[in-house]
Amino acid sequence: MGKIAAFFDIDGTLYRDSLMVEHFKKLIKYDIIDQKAWFEHARDTFMDWDKRQGHYDDYLDEICDLYVKSLIGLDKTCIDFTSDQVIALKAERVYKYTRSRIKWHLDNGHKVIFISGSPDFLVKKMAEKYNITDYRGSIYVFKDNAFTGEVIPMWDSVSKNKAIDELVEKYNLDLNQSYAYGDTNGDINMLRRVGNPIAINPTKELLLHINQDETLAKTTKIIVERKDIIYSLDPSVKLYENDL
C-alpha cells in the first residue's frame, strides 16, 4: 500500500497573495531594480484588478513577464538576500485553514509537498519554513551566478501533472488516498489526480471547471476563508457562470 501525500499550491492557497509579487516589491525597495518598470507596465493592470474591473490572472501574467525580464543578469546573492526578506517578513501571511491542514497532514505522517508556479528559490525557502517534505517550483536558470532569463515553468496543469508523476514514483504514493489543495485552473489536474481534492478560495474559472467535471463535482471540498471565518460549501450545489 502506498503512502498518503498532500499536494499544496502556495499562492492564493496557502499564501494570501503572490510570493513573486512580494519579491518584486522587495527588489524595488532595495533599489536592485528600477521601480519605473512597475509604474510604466504593471500599475494599470493592477489598478484594474484592485477595482475588480480586470482579471487577476491578467495582472499576474503581466507581472510575471516583467519580473523575469527585470531579473535578467542579477547576481544570485541579491536575489537570495531579497528572498530571505520576503520569507522573514511575509511567510506568516497565510490562510488559517491551509496552515492548519499542513499541520494535520504532518502530524499524521503524510508526505506534504508544495507544487507552485512561484520561483523555486522562494518555494524552497517557504518549504523550509513549514517543514515540508518536498517541493516543486518554477526553475529559474542561473549561469555564473547570474539569472539567464530562462524559466522552466511550474504554473500550468501539464507541468504540475508531470511533477506529481515524478513524486509518486519517488515516494511510492497512493493518489486515491491523497489530498490536493489549489485555487486556480492551473491546479485542476492536481485536483483530478487525488481522491481528496480541496479547492480553497477558488477562482471563477476553477469553480466552473469543477462543476463541469462529474467526478470533481462530487468529490471536491470547497473552502472559502474570509476575515476570521472559514466556510465549507456543498460541492453538490450546481453553479452556473451567471451566478458567479
Side-chain angles (χ1 to χ4, degrees):
M1 184 176 178
K3 298 179 178 65
I4 296 175
F7 302 97
F8 286 85
D9 172 55
I10 294 179
D11 298 332
T13 301
L14 170 63
Y15 185 62
R16 291 177 8 230
D17 205 327
S18 163
L19 289 177
M20 178 193 69
V21 170
E22 290 295 344
H23 188 229
F24 201 168
K25 291 176 180 177
K26 286 291 181 290
L27 290 167
I28 292 172
K29 177 181 178 181
Y30 289 104
D31 293 324
I32 295 172
I33 61 175
D34 190 350
Q35 66 175 335
K36 183 171 69 173
W38 173 279
F39 286 103
E40 287 185 352
H41 301 287
R43 186 175 182 275
D44 290 342
T45 311
F46 171 74
M47 292 303 294
D48 285 344
W49 158 249
D50 198 44
K51 293 181 290 188
R52 297 302 190 267
Q53 295 175 355
H55 297 288
Y56 186 60
D57 286 343
D58 292 340
Y59 162 59
L60 276 187
D61 285 345
E62 187 167 345
I63 291 296
C64 184
D65 289 342
L66 184 59
Y67 175 80
V68 170
K69 291 175 183 176
S70 298
L71 259 63
I72 293 175
L74 283 187
D75 190 277
K76 195 171 186 299
T77 303
C78 293
I79 291 175
D80 286 341
F81 167 74
T82 45
S83 298
D84 287 339
Q85 295 301 305
V86 169
I87 300 304
L89 299 173
K90 298 291 185 177
E92 298 284 352
R93 191 171 183 265
V94 298
Y95 288 108
K96 181 179 179 180
Y97 172 82
T98 320
R99 180 173 54 205
S100 69
R101 294 301 293 174
I102 289 174
K103 183 179 185 303
W104 182 82
H105 285 296
L106 290 173
D107 288 347
N108 281 275
H110 300 165
K111 303 295 183 183
V112 180
I113 300 165
F114 284 166
I115 300 183
S116 171
S118 280
D120 54 342
F121 47 83
L122 289 169
V123 177
K124 177 178 184 293
K125 293 178 186 297
M126 201 70 166
E128 291 170 348
K129 165 75 176 178
Y130 287 93
N131 299 312
I132 303 307
T133 309
D134 208 336
Y135 69 92
R136 296 291 185 275
S138 295
I139 299 172
Y140 281 57
V141 180
F142 290 81
K143 183 177 180 181
D144 298 328
N145 221 38
F147 177 53
T148 64
E150 181 183 354
V151 178
I152 302 171
M154 187 56 69
W155 50 69
D156 60 286
S157 288
V158 174
S159 299
K160 292 188 177 185
N161 215 21
K162 182 179 178 181
I164 290 173
D165 288 339
E166 295 170 353
L167 291 159
V168 165
E169 184 174 353
K170 180 177 180 179
Y171 292 106
N172 184 31
L173 302 178
D174 180 353
L175 291 181
N176 288 329
Q177 299 297 318
S178 294
Y179 298 73
Y181 301 79
D183 71 312
T184 69
N185 207 50
D187 302 313
I188 190 74
N189 279 347
M190 189 167 73
L191 298 178
R192 285 189 179 123
R193 295 290 302 274
V194 300
N196 300 285
I198 298 97
I200 177 167
N201 298 326
T203 61
K204 173 180 174 179
E205 185 181 18
L206 176 59
L207 207 53
L208 286 171
H209 276 88
I210 287 172
N211 280 273
Q212 291 165 1
D213 185 303
E214 185 175 346
T215 301
L216 280 179
K218 293 177 180 177
T219 60
T220 304
K221 186 174 185 179
I222 300 171
I223 298 293
V224 176
E225 181 174 333
R226 288 294 180 267
K227 298 181 179 177
D228 57 350
I229 300 179
I230 298 169
Y231 304 87
S232 181
L233 306 184
D234 186 347
S236 67
V237 175
K238 185 69 176 177
L239 298 175
Y240 298 91
E241 186 167 2
N242 290 339
D243 296 330
L244 300 174

